[in-house]
Amino acid sequence: MDLSFTEREMEFRDEIRKFLSSNIPPSASKRVSMGFAIDPVDVLEWQRILHAKGWGASSWPKEYGGTGWSTTEQHIFEEECANANAPLQPPFGLKMVAPVIMAFGNQHQKNHYLPKIIQGQDWWCQGYSEPGSGSDLASLKTQAKRVGQHYIVNGQKTWTTLAQHANMIFCLVRTNTEVRQQEGISFLLIDMKSPGVSVRPIIMLDGEHEINEVWFDNVEVPVENLVGEENKGWTYAKYLLGHERTNIAQIGKSKRELNRLIRLAKLQRGPNGRLIDDQRFRDQIACLEIELNALEITNLRVISSQDKKGVGPQASLLKIKGAEIQQQLTELQMQILGPYSAAHLKEALTLDWVVPSGLSSYPDFAPALSGAYFNYRKTTIYGGSNEIQRNIISKMMLDL
Amino acid sequence: MNFEYSEIQVSLQDSLEKYYSKNYTFEKRQSYASQTTGFSDEAWKHYAEMGLLALTFPEQYGGLIDSPAPPDLAAETSGSSGKTTSLTGANTVNTAITGEENMWVMEFLGKSLCLEPYLSTVVMAGQALLHYGNEHQKSTLIPKISGGELKIALAHQEPDSRYETHHISTLATPIELSLNEKKQWRVNGKKCMVLNANSADQIIVSVRTAGAVSDQGGISLFLIPSNANGLSMANYKTHDGNRASDVEFKDVIVSEDDLISVQGNGFRVLGDILGWANAALCAEAVGIMSKICDLTLEYLKTRKQFGVPIGKFQALQHRMADMIISTEQARSMAILAVKAQSETDFVKRQREISASKAYICRAGREVGQEAIQLHGGMGVTNEMSVAHYFKRLTLITQTFGDFNYHIAKVSDYLLVDV
């Protein structure tokens, strides 16, 4: 056993930390630290800053302009970015469609799409789920009919995260209805500006617009937008699931939020003093903290063995626990507010909000906390619900 | 980073497990548990022959570690905050090695449900002597421990102390002596739940040489022969087949030669002893939990109801998946406990160990209870080995600090401004 980062890795961490400390636009990091909605301007600007530094794609090999970092280095980078409140690098392009294009796309697709992802020009979204196909994804019905040099796409995708900002969508579509479900699915890249594509917002329970329905009404998609072979899309989608997994547990973000929770509990006062001095509340933090301690080490165990063995069903473990911890963090952060947790100040969720004089006792850190609790119920549902993850463990690890 | 055992450790663990699965069968184990000592002398000899008892000691004391002995932990400067400032590099390496060796051994002992007093003698007494003993104690006693010729028990709990190591009413009162004579004390008091006392040659006892009943200062540790005049024991079985005793001291005479570390440093030494012990218990628990998962999975695949193996039912599959997750997470925390042993700050070191133990108490409870439930009626009989793994696992969660005790340590550390 060697339970410490190497000296080289520690230097690497310092280098990342130093860069982040002086290169994240302050307004962008403020938005992240306040828990406000993602600002597409922040996201694209941050991607360009990272790209200029050569760090645009931490998980890509060097031949495509990536960093070529080891999984441990990627982990360190992601942890430091989270800790520094760096804006999100949306995973849909960098970590989802890009690996598929690299593995199964043709040279033209690689040359065309990958640079636009790393340079922050394209914003991708994911067209997988449909109203009738959630956990049973392979039953999807969105149809792509080959007509000459085009596919004509008809159908509806749903839960499409941040589609309102996206200009590209990668879709699983049905190209054959005669065969076993999994064998009639293709992987198609679609320009969101194509005639017939429409995006309708779905408002989540926190009142915010994060997800969407995407409708396809006789959308013409050039055949060169097919990735790999027709009817092999399911294989590519599964490849993705087993691919980028260093950040599935969101350890860095949860560590940041735990520190925030502790900080706020030391700040918040009641009739009996600071909230952190309330043993009942403090013990709940401690219980959550040890869960995160355990998951952090499990995550490092998976990462450090990944180069040797690849990631298998351990990813499901990381997802289940990571999602539960994120939820519990938002729950305790909401509880920090006590009675004020009920207040829903939608207008306060922006940087330029000025506290009205009559509301001066409302804590400035409060606006997003309760909404986050409601919003984060999603974590155990998306990306394969925690129940689906348990099915995967039963099948792949336990052979049940 | 590398979180796996070395090739040598893996192959030793594997071959021991194979050997013990044939030669330390569940039936034999149950017969050892019913002997007076509660374990097998033959197996203890075998541990010694295999070198297991020598793994964590330096060569100069008959051990197998070929690095210099660690510096005396008692010599560390300890400020008012309890933080250490001078734990040297050499010692850091050493505690890392011993922690890791103890982890794989305890994991093996857990998987095989072994009864022998490795924890009492090698982990607690052995490490205490190595890190806090004087040169005479180290050179005379450690070789005997390594050779399987000496067993030592730790008597530190009292009927009203629960898990608090500094709540001590057992008193050592100085004996009036003429000049130039060595200091002597008369020990009076009662210790309870002393593991393996009935088979121990010597006993380490925590006593109060100064201070009030719950002071952290004024505690000293003495090593006393178990047949000393005035020492008496009431022995009993524990639910997992082990042995424990309540030990009473009536005017037992001890001298300064019997001190472990210096007079009054007992709180610190006990903190470390129980840190090593809890780390070892975490590893043993992980061994047990992984065995319990294997047994339960096998049962799910073989037991049929409604015409199919019960493992086909999703209600049971998900519970099995959760057992696997808890076991993996528990393993991570057992690794944290290994890492913690080379943490130089005493308070932080204690926090990390308590975090590990708290986690293992909770995960062990979940995994153990679920295993019994998934075994159905068979799980609640004394015939199935899973029931005995469950009992041992449960007692681990009640030994040297339960969940509430350890989570309080983690919780209170949140008040420390790091």
Side-chain angles (χ1 to χ4, degrees):
Chain A
M1 287 186 181
D2 178 5
L3 303 178
S4 307
F5 287 107
T6 63
E7 208 163 296
R8 164 81 195 83
E9 286 160 350
M10 298 298 277
E11 285 166 16
F12 176 82
R13 189 187 284 279
D14 288 343
E15 188 191 348
I16 304 284
R17 194 171 288 180
K18 197 167 157 229
F19 178 81
L20 295 176
S21 68
S22 51
N23 285 281
I24 305 174
S27 61
S29 67
K30 185 85 198 286
R31 251 187 288 275
V32 173
S33 71
M34 293 295 289
F36 294 160
I38 285 161
D39 183 322
V41 177
D42 287 350
V43 167
L44 294 175
E45 187 189 0
W46 180 235
Q47 183 60 33
R48 284 179 210 121
I49 292 170
L50 284 176
H51 179 54
K53 174 72 182 169
W55 296 349
S58 62
S59 58
W60 291 12
K62 280 188 171 160
E63 56 171 317
Y64 301 115
T67 55
W69 285 337
S70 69
T71 45
T72 306
E73 288 166 331
Q74 293 170 44
H75 165 78
I76 292 171
F77 176 74
E78 275 155 357
E79 194 167 270
E80 289 303 319
C81 282
N83 192 44
N85 292 309
L88 174 81
Q89 283 184 280
F92 310 105
L94 282 165
K95 294 191 168 175
M96 299 175 103
V97 77
V100 171
I101 292 175
M102 285 176 202
F104 306 105
N106 58 37
Q107 198 54 47
H108 172 76
Q109 288 168 336
K110 291 178 193 175
N111 294 343
H112 181 76
Y113 293 112
L114 298 179
K116 289 180 152 187
I117 292 173
I118 200 170
Q119 289 161 16
Q121 292 171 34
D122 278 350
W123 188 311
W124 285 83
C125 60
Q126 181 191 41
Y128 276 20
S129 294
E130 296 181 7
S133 304
S135 292
D136 181 15
L137 184 61
S139 69
L140 60 90
K141 291 190 174 63
T142 295
Q143 206 176 45
K145 240 188 201 154
R146 176 83 185 255
V147 179
Q149 285 309 294
H150 288 90
Y151 287 102
I152 307 297
V153 179
N154 279 290
Q156 185 201 344
K157 294 292 177 182
T158 193
W159 315 131
T160 317
T161 304
L162 302 177
Q164 70 268 38
H165 306 310
N167 63 318
M168 292 296 297
I169 182 168
F170 57 97
C171 286
L172 292 179
V173 293
R174 183 150 307 283
T175 37
N176 190 337
T177 52
E178 307 293 305
V179 290
R180 207 168 71 94
Q181 281 183 343
Q182 286 82 351
E183 287 156 15
I185 293 170
S186 298
F187 197 102
L188 212 52
L189 311 178
I190 304 177
D191 188 331
M192 299 281 282
K193 290 188 292 294
S194 313
V197 177
S198 52
V199 176
R200 296 178 198 167
I202 298 172
I203 302 305
M204 287 178 72
L205 74 179
D206 58 349
E208 297 298 306
H209 175 199
E210 180 175 306
I211 52 178
N212 303 272
E213 297 173 349
V214 181
W215 294 72
F216 300 90
D217 179 15
N218 285 317
V219 177
E220 281 190 16
V221 181
V223 288
E224 61 256 33
N225 285 20
L226 175 74
V227 176
E229 292 176 48
E230 202 175 84
N231 297 324
K232 288 278 172 67
W234 189 250
T235 313
Y236 309 152
K238 275 203 303 191
Y239 168 81
L240 238 189
L241 288 178
H243 195 73
E244 221 298 315
R245 289 300 185 199
T246 55
N247 207 14
I248 191 171
Q250 294 281 319
I251 301 288
K253 194 171 157 194
S254 288
K255 281 169 77 175
R256 176 187 79 205
E257 293 306 317
L258 177 74
N259 287 334
R260 186 179 185 212
L261 172 65
I262 295 168
R263 206 170 52 243
L264 295 182
K266 287 179 176 174
L267 212 63
Q268 192 73 333
R269 303 190 74 90
N272 302 316
R274 303 180 307 168
L275 191 52
I276 195 85
D277 295 320
D278 173 351
Q279 194 180 315
R280 280 191 193 124
F281 191 78
R282 192 170 72 243
D283 286 354
Q284 289 190 69
I285 301 180
C287 288
L288 186 50
E289 191 183 24
I290 63 173
E291 280 290 344
L292 185 54
N293 288 157
L295 192 63
E296 183 179 8
I297 297 167
T298 302
N299 193 48
L300 289 169
R301 284 168 58 205
V302 172
I303 287 169
S304 65
S305 65
Q306 190 167 2
D307 296 322
K308 286 172 261 169
K309 301 181 205 158
V311 185
Q314 292 98 325
S316 295
L317 186 170
L318 297 176
K319 201 270 169 175
I320 291 172
K321 280 284 169 183
E324 289 174 355
I325 288 170
Q326 289 177 72
Q327 290 182 338
Q328 287 161 17
L329 281 164
T330 59
E331 191 169 0
L332 290 181
Q333 287 192 359
M334 173 175 74
Q335 289 173 16
I336 289 272
L337 296 174
Y340 263 139
S341 60
H344 186 199
L345 277 68
K346 203 169 160 53
E347 67 281 6
L349 298 171
T350 98
L351 286 187
D352 45 25
W353 183 62
V354 181
V355 189
S357 59
L359 268 183
S360 59
S361 49
Y362 184 69
D364 61 354
F365 56 77
L369 296 188
S370 297
Y373 168 74
F374 293 120
N375 179 282
Y376 268 59
R377 303 320 296 170
K378 71 190 175 186
T379 60
T380 48
I381 297 167
Y382 66 30
S385 72
N386 278 18
E387 288 68 34
I388 289 292
Q389 304 299 337
R390 288 184 176 93
N391 285 353
I392 292 172
I393 291 174
S394 306
K395 200 173 157 190
M396 314 264 293
M397 268 174 114
L398 308 180
D399 196 25
L400 283 173
Chain B
M1 287 187 145
N2 175 11
F3 294 89
E4 299 182 17
Y5 296 134
S6 69
E7 276 176 37
I8 298 175
Q9 290 167 334
V10 170
S11 74
L12 271 171
Q13 205 186 35
D14 279 355
S15 56
L16 280 167
E17 271 173 45
K18 276 191 196 113
Y19 182 84
Y20 275 69
S21 68
K22 288 201 192 83
N23 298 287
Y24 200 101
T25 59
F26 174 61
E27 291 70 27
K28 278 194 181 169
R29 189 255 183 205
Q30 293 310 87
S31 75
Y32 301 148
S34 63
Q35 292 175 9
T36 322
T37 55
F39 63 87
S40 157
D41 284 323
E42 206 181 319
W44 188 248
K45 276 189 204 119
H46 185 251
Y47 292 180
E49 283 158 20
M50 293 292 294
L52 285 189
L53 308 181
L55 275 174
T56 54
F57 303 116
E59 275 177 345
Q60 66 185 106
Y61 303 127
L64 294 172
I65 299 176
D66 62 355
S67 68
D72 201 346
L73 280 182
E76 280 177 41
T77 45
S78 176
S80 57
S81 66
K83 288 186 181 180
T84 57
T85 50
S86 69
L87 205 61
T88 66
N91 186 64
T92 306
V93 169
N94 204 290
T95 43
I97 296 172
T98 55
E100 193 180 330
E101 299 287 6
N102 275 332
M103 179 173 174
W104 80 255
V105 174
M106 288 301 292
E107 186 186 346
F108 148 70
L109 295 173
K111 273 188 192 164
S112 306
L113 206 58
C114 289
L115 295 153
E116 289 66 37
Y118 184 90
L119 177 71
S120 293
T121 295
V122 179
V123 178
M124 297 201 290
Q127 294 302 311
L129 290 169
L130 180 63
H131 291 286
Y132 290 105
N134 61 40
E135 194 50 45
H136 178 73
Q137 289 167 332
K138 285 193 268 200
S139 58
T140 57
L141 301 178
I142 294 178
K144 286 189 181 169
I145 291 177
S146 313
E149 298 148 27
L150 174 68
K151 294 193 265 310
I152 304 178
L154 175 71
H156 72 291
Q157 297 174 128
E158 300 192 353
D160 57 356
S161 70
R162 287 186 69 85
Y163 299 115
E164 213 53 86
T165 57
H166 56 83
H167 191 95
I168 295 178
S169 349
T170 300
L171 285 183
T173 34
I175 300 174
E176 296 280 338
L177 296 162
S178 53
L179 277 172
N180 301 328
E181 263 189 296
K182 285 183 173 168
K183 279 201 227 169
Q184 289 192 2
W185 293 263
R186 222 181 288 280
V187 176
N188 280 288
K190 188 174 178 185
K191 297 290 176 178
C192 67
M193 264 308 300
V194 182
L195 292 175
N196 306 116
N198 72 334
S199 56
D201 305 295
Q202 306 210 28
I203 288 175
I204 296 173
V205 61
S206 61
V207 300
R208 190 158 283 298
T209 41
V213 69
S214 57
D215 284 356
Q216 293 184 355
I219 298 168
S220 305
L221 300 185
F222 288 99
L223 187 63
I224 305 180
S226 51
N227 60 3
N229 280 335
L231 188 158
S232 63
M233 287 182 202
N235 306 324
Y236 43 90
K237 288 184 181 177
T238 51
H239 278 286
D240 55 2
N242 278 305
R243 293 294 180 283
S245 310
D246 283 11
V247 181
E248 206 163 345
F249 299 85
K250 277 189 183 155
D251 291 332
V252 176
I253 310 285
V254 294
S255 92
E256 61 181 316
D257 288 343
D258 306 322
L259 269 170
I260 292 177
S261 183
V262 293
Q263 185 185 335
N265 197 32
F267 175 70
R268 174 59 186 274
V269 182
L270 270 177
D272 276 333
I273 293 177
L274 292 169
W276 297 316
N278 273 315
L281 286 172
C282 288
E284 185 186 357
V286 166
I288 293 174
M289 287 159 79
S290 65
K291 181 73 180 187
I292 281 183
C293 285
D294 290 348
L295 291 168
T296 307
L297 187 57
E298 196 185 315
Y299 191 76
L300 290 183
K301 288 177 179 175
T302 48
R303 167 73 176 166
K304 285 187 178 166
Q305 285 290 276
F306 305 102
V308 290
I310 57 174
K312 290 288 167 204
F313 301 120
Q314 198 179 38
L316 305 193
Q317 287 175 352
H318 284 196
R319 297 170 79 160
M320 187 71 230
D322 283 337
M323 288 170 65
I324 297 283
I325 292 172
S326 291
T327 303
E328 282 303 318
Q329 292 276 84
R331 178 178 296 280
S332 293
M333 289 309 256
I335 292 172
L336 177 68
V338 169
K339 189 170 156 58
Q341 294 172 53
S342 43
E343 166 62 52
T344 50
D345 178 332
F346 179 73
V347 181
K348 180 83 190 296
R349 193 151 83 223
Q350 299 266 303
R351 185 263 168 213
E352 303 286 67
I353 301 273
S354 281
S356 306
K357 185 71 188 306
Y359 198 94
I360 262 120
C361 286
R362 181 169 274 190
R365 171 178 176 273
E366 272 169 31
V367 170
Q369 291 181 353
E370 286 293 82
I372 297 301
Q373 179 68 22
L374 294 185
H375 273 82
M378 292 307 290
V380 291
T381 69
N382 226 11
E383 294 166 39
M384 301 282 281
S385 68
V386 70
H388 296 266
Y389 281 101
F390 170 60
K391 287 194 272 187
R392 175 63 195 144
L393 186 55
T394 303
L395 295 209
I396 287 175
T397 68
Q398 299 299 114
T399 300
F400 304 152
D402 58 9
F403 177 79
N404 286 341
Y405 175 82
H406 286 291
I407 202 69
K409 303 267 175 203
V410 178
S411 184
D412 291 348
Y413 192 76
L414 289 169
L415 298 171
V416 177
D417 285 306
V418 190

